[in-house]
Each structure stands twice: as C-alpha cells, then as structure tokens.
Amino acid sequence: MFNKILKSSKEQAKLIGYSLIVMAVIAGFSLGYAFPFFIDESKKVFIAEIVLQEQLLYILMLIGVLLVIALDFLVSILLYLFFKQSNKIIALFSCALRIAYSFIFLMSFFFLIINVGENENILIINNLNLFEKTWNIGLIVFGIHLFLLGLLMKFDKFIPDALSYITVFAGVSYFILHLLKVLSGGYPELLFTLEKILVMPMVLGELGLAFWLLFKFKNNNEE
C-alpha cells in the first residue's frame, strides 16, 4: 500500500509537507524549548541540577528527538522520490547527505539516553556537550543537503525561485554556523548572536517548501 502511495506525486508532496510540519512542531518543543531549558543562558553552559530536577521534561525531550530522527529518515526518501525527475543525481546526493545527517543525529542521541538515571553532574554535563558537538557535526552535513535541496527546487518550474533562494541561503547558514561551532570548541556569545540572526531563514527553508507543496497539490489531481 505504501509503495502505491509513493507512486503519486500528489501524495508524495502531501507526505513531505505534513512530515516537515510535524517535525518542525516536535523539534520546536524538544530542541527549541526543552533542550535550551537545561542551559544557563547567561553563561551558555549546561546545568546538571536542572536535568536531575526535570526528569519528565528530559524524557519528553528524548521522545521528541527520536521522533524527529525517524521523520528525517522518512523525509530523506520522500524528497528523493519527489525531486528525482528534476535532477536524479543531485536528488540522490541530497538524499544520501540527509540520511548521513540522520545517522549522525542518531549517534548523538545516545549521549542523551545515557543521562537517564545518571546522578554524576560531571558526566551529565559531559554527555550533553558530546551530544551538542556530535549534532553540530551532523548539522554541517545537513547544511549541504539543504543547499542541494535549494538547487533541486530551482530546477522545479512549479516552485517559486524565491523559495529556492531562501533554502540555498538556509543551507549556507547551517553550514557556516555549525562549522564555526565545531571549530570554536564552545558556544561563545558571537555564535549565539549569529544563530539568533540566522534562525529565521534556516527555519523558513524547509517549512516554506512544506507549505508550498501542500498548497500546490491541495486541489491538484496530477499524478
């Protein structure tokens, strides 16, 4: 049944759109709200005591992150199937990069899991730092994927050029920002400010595509 659904470009577009929107909502809670909750904003460092005090929030964050990773794997395949007609080689590279990112994200996820039941403050902080560092490496790969996705959107005559440019810019932003984070070895104020500036275009890239696909195929019977 799933294979039959994937044969329809309309259904592919709907699945991509809804998956990206659901992923954004879950990520907004888990990575936009819960994860920063364990950080001292003034010092940009993790606080182990908050993790120990807010175990329910921590577990909810874990569930959300795992769902985001699962959706990332799904979206990787769906984007390839949808855009392979535009440029099969770029679509394949884009898909491979997103799958690679998802695997790196999954690897980083294990640093969060081992904190469950952990009582040593130093180990908790160390695991959180390892998660963030590994995830940042993955986000560099994700940035290249977004850049290629923006090119694929440019090749698709039905997708507005403005949306493809935003996605390309989002990919470049992801790549530069998280490369600087990895190379800096920390979370300095400059990078924190830069992230605040770039967060909107980074979010708009995929979300813009999601809403456009849902809008375009809402009343479209094209297969």
Side-chain angles (χ1 to χ4, degrees):
M1 180 180 293
F2 188 64
N3 289 334
K4 291 181 179 179
I5 291 176
L6 294 184
K7 289 180 181 178
S8 165
S9 58
K10 178 180 178 181
E11 295 305 322
Q12 289 169 12
K14 288 168 62 178
L15 280 171
I16 293 170
Y18 287 125
S19 296
L20 288 174
I21 291 172
V22 171
M23 189 191 310
V25 172
I26 299 174
F29 167 75
S30 296
L31 300 169
Y33 169 75
F35 186 65
F37 192 84
F38 305 112
I39 300 174
D40 184 333
E41 287 294 325
S42 62
K43 300 178 181 178
K44 304 298 182 294
V45 294
F46 293 106
I47 306 297
E49 288 80 3
I50 301 179
V51 177
L52 294 172
Q53 294 169 4
E54 302 290 343
Q55 283 288 292
L56 177 58
L57 178 62
Y58 191 85
I59 291 173
L60 289 175
M61 179 188 72
L62 290 180
I63 295 172
V65 171
L66 190 58
L67 288 173
V68 169
I69 294 172
L71 286 169
D72 258 316
F73 278 110
L74 174 62
V75 169
S76 301
I77 304 301
L78 291 174
L79 286 173
Y80 167 72
L81 293 173
F82 185 80
F83 283 107
K84 67 178 181 179
Q85 301 301 324
S86 300
N87 189 304
K88 190 171 184 178
I89 294 177
I90 295 180
L92 185 60
F93 272 111
S94 178
C95 173
L97 285 168
R98 188 163 192 141
I99 289 176
Y101 157 72
S102 300
F103 273 114
I104 297 172
F105 197 5
L106 183 60
M107 289 171 55
S108 70
F109 177 70
F110 288 108
F111 291 115
L112 295 179
I113 291 180
I114 57 181
N115 265 348
V116 177
E118 180 60 65
N119 295 313
E120 290 290 334
N121 288 9
I122 295 178
L123 291 178
I124 290 174
I125 294 174
N126 185 55
N127 289 331
L128 289 172
N129 284 322
L130 286 172
F131 161 76
E132 188 173 43
K133 183 176 182 179
T134 307
W135 184 34
N136 282 333
I137 293 172
L139 287 171
I140 295 172
V141 178
F142 182 75
I144 304 174
H145 154 75
L146 270 189
F147 179 85
L148 294 179
L149 180 60
L151 294 183
L152 288 170
M153 292 162 64
K154 176 67 175 175
F155 293 145
D156 191 311
K157 61 182 180 180
F158 296 108
I159 298 178
D161 286 346
L163 195 53
S164 68
Y165 295 145
I166 291 173
T167 305
V168 166
F169 182 75
V172 174
S173 299
Y174 264 103
F175 180 83
I176 293 176
L177 177 63
H178 294 95
L179 180 63
L180 289 174
K181 283 187 179 184
V182 170
L183 294 179
S184 71
Y187 201 80
E189 188 66 33
L190 176 61
L191 291 179
F192 181 77
T193 303
L194 183 61
E195 186 172 34
K196 292 294 185 183
I197 295 172
L198 295 176
V199 65
M200 188 57 66
M202 290 193 298
V203 169
L204 285 178
E206 281 202 327
L207 270 184
L209 174 62
F211 284 112
W212 172 257
L213 289 176
L214 291 175
F215 170 79
K216 178 183 183 300
F217 287 92
K218 181 178 181 181
N219 299 309
N220 193 327
N221 294 319
E222 178 186 350
E223 297 296 329

